[in-house]
Amino acid sequence: MKQNYYIFNNGCLRRQENTIFFEKEDGTRNVIPIENTEAVYAFGEIDFNTKLFNYLAQKGIPVHVFNYYGFYSGSYYPRETLNSGQLLVKQVNHYTNMRHRLALARAFVNGASFNIVKNLRYYNNRGKDLGEYINAIEGYRSRIEESGAVEELMGIEGNIRNTYYKAWPTIIDCEIEFERRVKQPPDNMINALISYLNSLVYTTCLGEIYHTQLNPLISFLHEPGERRYSLSLDLAEIFKPIFSDRIIFTLLNRQQITNKDFMTEVNLCYLNESGRKTVVREYDERLKTVITHKKLERQVSYRHLVRLECYKLVKHLIGEQEYEGFKIWW
Amino acid sequence: MDNSIAHLKLTGTQINYYFLCQRKLWYFAHDIQMEQNNDAVYLGKLIHETSYEREKKEIDIDGTIKIDFIGKDRVIHEVKKSDKVEEPHIWQLKYYIWYLKQKGVEGVTGKINYPKLKKILDVVLENGDMEKIETIMVDINRIITSPLPPVVNRMKICKSCSYGDICWV
Amino acid sequence: MYVIVVYDVDQKRCGKMLKLCRGYLHHIQNSVFEGEITEAKLEELKIKSRKIMREEDNDSLIVFKSRNEKWLEKEIVGTDKRPVDNVL
């Protein structure tokens, strides 16, 4: 499996001698083996030039850029090499035809909320009393199939998430102050963690879409244009409970992340560098973790699960097999 | 030649996939390719690129067929990695010979080179092959123009196939 | 898979080998590289190295393979420069 590189230092990233060098401000340098690189995450203040971008495009390597607070700014997405006109037409059709669009949007909410409930059940079986939240979410879930419009579905999804987040103080052992999800900007530790990890999940989904013939701009649950690559948002829904939320619970319950890892300004809370590094290491570890895939009967990494989700979407779009969102079974 | 067959413009890869796996044939024809991320395919490409470097490589004819290289006495060569499934390779070459024959080039024979195995396989058009190729072409056209990929059973080769994940997920 | 690659080539070709290997693995010591790599990329590295090396000078490259980094017990005596880290 190719590696992600996460750059926190300030410096300069450039092409040199058929690979890439990262030179820190103090002059020390790291060599990044280009042939084995999946993506570059730029957290520090980094200089790039076009020679580098041309090289990265040639190798199909995206760069994800984050601002001073560690909030996601955007991605350099190399020119697409895998295109299928016939698949694109089908993808567009599935967006414009309301019945088709709804079917896919439902599948995303269904898969995402299944994984949410699974997380709750996991902790419910470990002595946390989460029964009322599980029941409430199951109630919302039963309305997914009868929802008649994407907006309605988004409403159900919102209710599920709100209920889910209310359960978090019970799941997390340490004292936390967390009532509701606040984005842009996050106002407390949990919201800061969610924002940060969700942006990592989004970039992972984007990277995997890049390796398929799917077009990242056309989405079904989210409105295209909501974010540039909105199909990533759709896919991320499925994987956030597995990749993002589980890491948050683990990091906080093991006290690998504490108050010391955050910075607060007026109405703004964000992870400091050591916090970001801890999270990124845990996330990277998670992506590489392998499980035995029941249907494929072979070992696949968590990251590869995202690719497989893309393939399932392709099969749905061409009319071969109805899409069902990935459901965690462990 | 029957005009309806001539305009099909089938590639050697399509003939190959027809014998290898008809799902792969369909996906490939719809530009849903998997090769880019499969180790085995990448290795095959590497062998292709690094063996027989001295011979002239990849002769493109009409933008339809690509012959790896042409040797002496009208022998066309195709380089392959493994001989685990020989039939698709053989028919790919037979198709090239047939194609050249349609263009008026007679007396062509073929050789399949397996550089890793140090093995060479001779291919000639036999009695009945011409007709068989024409039937195959019509059948390929039927498969790739149908709306859905054909259903196939799990085969031994699925394990190392780059399409395995999309087929069985 | 996780590999350690070492080479011993005539000093005229040391630079070329260094540049080649840096594109694939992490340089941990003189003529020694380490890292996660796919089977195909390793094959590519071997093919490219063959083109650099010369038989008459007894050039060679050795690959130690492990299925997973975890199965490789590594001990560093002296300075740990953490050359294989992907968090920079």
Side-chain angles (χ1 to χ4, degrees), chain B residues 29-88:
Chain B
H30 286 74
D31 290 320
I32 298 169
Q33 287 153 29
M34 296 291 148
E35 278 74 9
Q36 71 285 351
N37 43 49
N38 184 285
D39 256 18
V41 182
Y42 189 78
L43 275 178
K45 211 180 116 212
L46 273 180
I47 287 166
H48 221 257
E49 283 169 2
T50 53
S51 36
Y52 303 97
E53 274 179 302
R54 271 164 295 138
E55 284 83 4
K56 193 176 166 14
K57 294 282 287 292
E58 291 244 308
I59 299 124
D60 190 310
I61 296 169
D62 303 341
T64 306
I65 62 167
K66 272 195 195 124
I67 296 169
D68 280 349
F69 65 92
I70 300 176
K72 278 190 288 188
D73 304 321
R74 302 192 175 197
V75 180
I76 58 173
H77 292 257
E78 179 68 24
V79 182
K80 296 288 183 197
K81 184 177 62 137
S82 127
D83 62 350
K84 256 186 262 160
V85 275
E86 279 179 351
E87 211 194 2

Side-chain angles (χ1 to χ4, degrees), chain A residues 1 3-9 17 30-31 33-36 281 284, chain C residues 19 22-26 36-38 41 44 48 82 85-88:
Chain A
M1 186 166 138
Q3 302 270 337
N4 286 338
Y5 284 85
Y6 308 93
I7 305 179
F8 285 91
N9 279 284
E17 291 161 357
N30 291 86
V31 188
I34 183 108
E35 302 293 343
N36 221 7
R281 283 192 193 277
D284 198 60
Chain C
K19 284 176 193 172
R22 271 203 298 228
Y24 294 81
L25 295 160
H26 299 277
E36 179 71 36
I37 195 169
T38 66
K41 283 292 174 187
E44 189 178 73
K48 286 186 181 168
R82 302 193 71 161
D85 203 357
N86 62 339
V87 178
L88 306 178

Side-chain angles (χ1 to χ4, degrees), chain A residues 15-260:
Chain A
R15 173 180 183 169
Q16 191 176 327
E17 291 161 357
N18 291 323
T19 191
I20 37 182
F21 279 63
F22 176 65
E23 201 175 301
K24 291 181 203 157
E25 281 171 327
D26 64 6
T28 58
R29 52 180 208 178
N30 291 86
V31 188
I32 297 176
I34 183 108
E35 302 293 343
N36 221 7
T37 302
E38 177 70 31
V40 175
Y41 287 74
F43 292 103
E45 211 172 285
I46 299 164
D47 291 337
F48 305 94
N49 63 18
T50 49
K51 189 172 142 196
L52 175 86
F53 280 122
N54 283 327
Y55 194 42
L56 293 174
Q58 186 194 326
K59 299 287 180 186
I61 300 170
V63 180
H64 308 295
V65 180
F66 294 74
N67 71 11
Y68 174 79
Y69 299 105
F71 303 143
Y72 175 67
S73 302
S75 297
Y76 166 68
Y77 190 77
R79 185 175 61 85
E80 302 215 40
T81 53
L82 302 170
N83 297 299
S84 164
Q86 301 185 64
L87 185 68
L88 178 62
V89 169
K90 299 223 152 108
Q91 202 181 334
V92 173
N93 277 343
H94 276 78
Y95 170 74
T96 51
N97 178 311
M98 197 33 80
R99 197 170 48 85
H100 287 336
R101 184 180 169 192
L102 249 178
L104 275 173
R106 281 194 195 116
F108 284 121
V109 176
N110 221 331
S113 57
F114 179 94
N115 294 330
I116 281 175
V117 171
K118 197 80 188 181
N119 278 358
L120 293 177
R121 286 196 199 286
Y122 177 89
Y123 285 99
N124 198 53
N125 293 339
R126 279 160 186 76
K128 316 260 181 185
D129 184 14
L130 301 168
E132 64 170 303
Y133 304 108
I134 293 170
N135 290 339
I137 293 177
E138 290 293 8
Y140 292 125
R141 272 171 59 77
S142 65
R143 285 167 41 199
I144 293 173
E145 282 316 306
E146 57 203 51
S147 60
V150 174
E151 299 73 47
E152 190 185 339
L153 205 48
M154 279 301 231
I156 296 172
E157 206 256 15
N159 288 333
I160 291 173
R161 288 220 167 257
N162 288 340
T163 313
Y164 178 45
Y165 290 136
K166 281 195 187 119
W168 283 33
T170 316
I171 296 174
I172 297 163
D173 296 329
C174 56
E175 266 309 299
I176 54 159
E177 147 209 0
F178 181 57
E179 297 223 320
R180 63 201 175 92
R181 174 87 179 101
V182 175
K183 314 175 201 178
Q184 295 163 348
D187 61 345
N188 61 29
M189 282 166 48
I190 301 289
N191 276 314
L193 275 171
I194 297 175
S195 289
Y196 186 66
L197 271 156
N198 283 359
S199 64
L200 294 179
V201 177
Y202 172 86
T203 57
T204 300
C205 292
L206 183 59
E208 292 305 314
I209 293 171
Y210 179 74
H211 293 299
T212 71
Q213 285 77 12
L214 291 170
N215 186 303
L217 304 173
I218 303 161
S219 52
F220 308 98
L221 176 62
H222 294 81
E223 200 57 52
E226 192 171 325
R227 179 102 54 91
R228 181 159 189 169
Y229 302 113
S230 47
L231 186 61
S232 276
L233 293 174
D234 283 3
L235 274 184
E237 288 298 325
I238 303 276
F239 292 102
K240 278 182 324 197
I242 308 165
F243 290 10
S244 173
D245 304 345
R246 286 197 174 194
I247 288 182
I248 296 177
F249 303 150
T250 311
L251 286 177
L252 289 172
N253 285 350
R254 282 199 217 130
Q255 290 180 349
Q256 280 171 276
I257 286 276
T258 61
N259 285 324
K260 291 197 292 288

Side-chain angles (χ1 to χ4, degrees), chain A residues 261-277:
Chain A
D261 294 300
F262 295 87
M263 303 283 278
T264 9
E265 288 175 14
V266 188
N267 291 332
L268 167 69
C269 179
Y270 60 95
L271 280 156
N272 63 20
E273 190 176 311
S274 85
R276 281 176 221 172
K277 279 188 179 167

